Amino acid sequence: MTNPVTGRTWMDRNLGASQAATSSTDAASYGDLYQWGRAADKHQKRESNLTYIKSTSDEPGNTNFIIPPEYPYDWRYLSNWELWQGENGVNNPCPIGYRIPTIAEWEEEIKSWENEDANGAFMSVLKLPKAGQRITGNEEYSNEIGFIIEAGINGFYWSSSTSSNSSFSYIISFDDDDVRWGHHIWESSTYRSNGSSVRCIKEE
């Protein structure tokens, strides 16, 4: 679908979703949860198995969701900041002609919403649901490592943009009260090992 305000075209659903969202809590629209920079190798499936062994390459060669045993919380041993950069970027999981959006493109999209919260996210052209996140390396959720949290409560969506901290990449996140993105630095970058939603944008 195309946003008439920004002129940008996006996929109508999250990667892995069976349908576009009919509500913010439409479970069939949640889709998969990707670790930043990984290809569609089935690690993103919500029921995928866990491993504590980091990958030494851009392609882990297995379908496991990788939980780093300690900081830095990246699924890859020695972070690679160059993944997911553009349609032809390494490990781009989007269909041909699409790519992961930058944080600047997300910010432009958010500014077109009627409300900067979960309701605005769903009422927008993108119909973004609150699909939750799969957590690694977060002390607040230390008892839920590897599990899906906050599905139906929060939405977390990756950008292709990387933080100056080698363990982080930028996301947008939203709940019923607020939306956070690149200018809210501490709230809008997250460990690359965390599993978040992907919504692809068309390459122009």
Side-chain angles (χ1 to χ4, degrees):
M1 80 264 309
T2 300
N3 185 329
V5 176
T6 66
R8 301 310 302 262
T9 299
W10 300 69
M11 288 184 64
D12 71 343
R13 66 195 67 188
N14 293 351
L15 280 187
S18 61
Q19 64 184 38
T22 58
S23 73
S24 285
T25 56
D26 175 9
S29 72
Y30 288 168
D32 297 330
L33 296 174
Y34 282 79
Q35 296 187 297
W36 189 91
R38 286 188 72 174
D41 56 12
K42 297 186 180 180
H43 82 279
Q44 73 274 11
K45 298 302 179 183
R46 291 176 177 245
E47 69 278 6
S48 64
N49 292 327
L50 310 177
T51 182
Y52 291 88
I53 302 173
K54 286 188 175 186
S55 175
T56 56
S57 71
D58 295 336
E59 298 179 5
N62 61 66
T63 61
N64 296 323
F65 189 85
I66 298 172
I67 299 178
E70 59 188 14
Y71 186 88
Y73 297 113
D74 193 332
W75 58 270
R76 195 187 189 287
Y77 174 72
L78 300 180
S79 298
N80 182 354
W81 296 23
E82 301 302 320
L83 304 174
W84 276 10
Q85 302 305 301
E87 180 187 357
N88 297 319
V90 176
N91 288 348
N92 176 24
C94 297
I96 294 173
Y98 287 80
R99 59 174 172 78
I100 309 294
T102 65
I103 197 64
E105 288 167 334
W106 270 123
E107 181 175 357
E108 186 180 16
E109 195 69 25
I110 290 167
K111 288 180 177 178
S112 75
W113 298 356
E114 183 173 347
N115 300 300
E116 292 188 359
D117 56 20
N119 184 61
F122 174 69
M123 296 303 293
S124 74
V125 172
L126 301 189
K127 298 289 184 186
L128 299 172
K130 297 183 286 189
Q133 188 178 47
R134 199 168 188 181
I135 288 294
T136 67
N138 188 317
E139 292 181 3
E140 182 180 356
Y141 297 103
S142 59
N143 293 325
E144 300 180 79
I145 297 300
F147 292 95
I148 312 301
I149 66 160
E150 299 182 336
I153 300 173
N154 286 285
F156 302 85
Y157 288 77
W158 280 123
S159 79
S160 63
S161 304
T162 57
S163 168
S164 58
N165 184 309
S166 63
S167 296
F168 293 82
S169 288
Y170 286 119
I171 58 169
I172 67 159
S173 61
F174 53 81
D175 56 24
D176 290 340
D177 299 315
D178 195 12
V179 60
R180 297 160 292 280
W181 70 95
H183 292 306
H184 304 67
I185 300 300
W186 70 272
E187 292 182 310
S188 62
S189 60
T190 192
Y191 297 124
R192 292 177 185 163
S193 55
N194 285 347
S196 297
S197 300
V198 168
R199 179 64 67 92
C200 300
I201 191 170
K202 188 175 182 180
E203 184 69 89
E204 300 293 337

